[in-house]
Amino acid sequence: MTSQISARKNTLAVRIGDVVVGGGAPVVVQSMTNTDTANAVETAIQVAQLAKAGSEVVRITVNSEEAASQVAAIRDRLDDMGCHVPLVGDFHFNGHKLLEKYPDCAQALGKYRINPGNVGKGKKRDAQFATMIEMACKYDKPVRIGVNWGSLDQELLALVMDENSNRAEPKESTEIMHEALIRSALESAAKAEEIGLGKDKIILSCKMSLVQDLISVYQDLSSQCEYALHLGLTEAGMGSKGIVASTAALAVLLQQGIGDTIRISLTPEPHGDRTKEVIVAQEILQTMGLRSFTPQVIACPGCGRTSSTYFQQLAKDIQSYLRDQMPTWSEKHKGVEEMNVAVMGCVVNGPGESKHANIGISLPGTGEKPVAPVYVDGVKTVTLKGDKIAEEFQQIVTQYVEEKYKTL
């Protein structure tokens, strides 16, 4: 599996701590906490959970003095835990005040996120935006200028609409929205550069919640600049809807070489696991052949030949086992993240898929002989039977990893 598509757009590289975004680096996975940042303990715990799941950058809300006052403590807690993932401060209406008043917060963050539509109005906008950029320059921090169609600068939108009305052939309202989003991002980036922020300290995003709109905006944006780009379908939704919508949008852009870092904005189920958005982001990149994070399980969908749920449970258990082992395996076994394991439910495609995988098992379907041949690197090595097929197959997988992948 290739580490990235060779035709990726050559954007400027931006360093966030030890993480490089853009400049030909592999696409970076990031996520965001949903804890109250003023609660340093809960926030540090969730950041660590997201980082363990594979988030390479984690964003936290910094919306109040109580939150800003705890950012340095969160950073210290994470460092004490051995978790050095960069933190991004998500600022909106009062970021200029918080960064000035809490220098420990400004220093502890790895990056600032600024929304041009929420930094003020009228004459205050430029001054407050300038303050935040000056803080980024002072502390040598990169900035994501993140425009969102739900909080677009209304003065700019009105200006673009007025300009459009004077055109010989006015554009449709959707095109005007796209144009305003892109102008907001690019003009804000230009202002940041005028203030003194280097191009290699700027990441842009133009978030929308409709798939075709997002694709269109990023295609235009990427053709007009060389800044690193952050991708994400904002307010993607819950469950399969959010996953499918995010995948549909990001896959098209990534295939075109657009995008340097991604976040999947899933609405979690009540009390749901926040790390799901990290796993989805990883799986998008891995299934597209852009990066490898964890061994993948190939499993058939099941049919009338597979009335037993045994193969389904085994596939689920093996996938969970592989992901659970990765924090340890990734430190010991180079290349293990590219391993493929096949768990098949009957004789139709079972042996063939098993032979193509690094390790494969073909379980008996309905009416088939109650045996399960195992293939290792295309060769049948053993046939399992009895009540402990799952445990024995897991042992075979573990032994394969120990023997096949070089110890670091």
Side-chain angles (χ1 to χ4, degrees), residues 89-110:
D90 192 57
F91 295 100
H92 286 276
F93 309 98
N94 57 355
H96 58 292
K97 294 181 180 179
L98 298 177
L99 285 169
E100 278 194 309
K101 187 170 182 178
Y102 295 93
D104 287 350
C105 167
Q107 181 59 53
L109 293 169

Side-chain angles (χ1 to χ4, degrees), residues 32-297:
M32 185 175 185
T33 60
N34 61 355
T35 56
D36 181 356
T37 307
N39 188 325
V41 175
E42 283 191 4
T43 301
I45 289 172
Q46 189 174 81
V47 170
Q49 291 171 342
L50 291 166
K52 183 179 179 181
S55 185
E56 294 156 303
V57 176
V58 177
R59 183 156 44 115
I60 61 176
T61 299
V62 188
N63 61 333
S64 66
E65 293 197 16
E66 292 76 14
S69 68
Q70 294 301 309
V71 171
I74 293 168
R75 178 73 274 165
D76 289 342
R77 286 179 179 275
L78 290 167
D79 290 341
D80 289 343
M81 297 162 65
C83 178
H84 304 298
V85 64
L87 296 176
V88 177
D90 192 57
F91 295 100
H92 286 276
F93 309 98
N94 57 355
H96 58 292
K97 294 181 180 179
L98 298 177
L99 285 169
E100 278 194 309
K101 187 170 182 178
Y102 295 93
D104 287 350
C105 167
Q107 181 59 53
L109 293 169
K111 185 181 75 172
Y112 310 154
R113 189 269 185 159
I114 304 173
N115 183 340
N118 287 336
V119 295
K121 295 182 179 180
K123 293 182 179 179
K124 289 184 177 181
R125 175 182 291 108
D126 288 345
Q128 292 173 180
F129 179 82
T131 296
M132 299 186 75
I133 297 301
E134 287 166 359
M135 292 297 100
C137 294
K138 178 178 179 179
Y139 294 101
D140 194 27
K141 305 295 181 180
V143 168
R144 171 158 73 94
I145 296 173
V147 184
N148 191 303
W149 75 337
S151 52
L152 182 61
D153 181 344
Q154 293 302 301
E155 291 182 15
L156 176 59
L157 178 59
L159 175 63
V160 175
M161 291 175 67
D162 287 343
E163 292 174 353
N164 185 60
S165 65
N166 293 323
R167 288 171 174 153
E169 296 183 8
K171 297 180 180 180
E172 297 290 334
S173 58
T174 299
E175 293 179 277
I176 294 304
M177 172 70 78
H178 294 181
E179 182 180 336
L181 280 163
I182 293 170
R183 279 182 58 171
S184 178
L186 293 178
E187 290 179 4
S188 296
K191 288 177 183 177
E193 286 191 60
E194 289 175 10
I195 295 167
L197 192 66
K199 270 190 172 184
D200 63 346
K201 295 288 186 182
I202 298 173
I203 298 173
L204 297 185
S205 67
C206 289
K207 295 287 195 74
M208 307 189 81
S209 59
L210 298 178
V211 171
Q212 295 297 341
D213 287 324
L214 191 82
I215 292 171
S216 178
V217 164
Y218 272 94
Q219 287 172 334
D220 289 344
L221 177 62
S222 68
S223 69
Q224 297 181 43
C225 72
E226 57 182 350
Y227 298 112
L229 300 180
H230 169 89
L231 300 186
L233 189 74
T234 192
E235 291 94 37
M238 182 179 289
S240 60
K241 185 269 180 184
I243 294 172
V244 171
S246 293
T247 304
L250 270 58
V252 170
L253 292 168
L254 290 167
Q255 186 66 26
Q256 295 174 2
I258 299 171
D260 302 286
T261 177
I262 65 172
R263 187 224 169 172
I264 307 302
S265 301
L266 295 180
T267 303
E269 301 286 345
H271 310 294
D273 190 346
R274 190 68 169 178
T275 62
K276 187 172 183 179
E277 67 176 53
V278 179
I279 295 171
V280 172
Q282 289 182 330
E283 290 180 345
I284 290 173
L285 295 175
Q286 185 148 355
T287 54
M288 291 186 68
L290 293 170
R291 292 187 66 183
S292 295
F293 297 95
T294 188
Q296 296 291 288
V297 172

Side-chain angles (χ1 to χ4, degrees), residues 296-352:
Q296 296 291 288
V297 172
I298 301 163
C300 64
C303 65
R305 297 184 180 88
T306 57
S307 56
S308 170
T309 61
Y310 190 87
F311 88 95
Q312 300 164 359
Q313 188 63 48
L314 179 56
K316 179 181 178 181
D317 291 347
I318 287 294
Q319 183 70 79
S320 296
Y321 173 71
L322 295 174
R323 184 168 286 279
D324 290 344
Q325 294 302 308
M326 273 309 294
T328 300
W329 282 353
S330 62
E331 295 180 358
K332 295 175 57 179
H333 303 290
K334 183 179 180 180
V336 67
E337 67 276 2
E338 297 185 1
M339 180 174 70
N340 288 318
V341 179
V343 179
M344 304 301 292
C346 78
V347 75
V348 174
N349 292 316

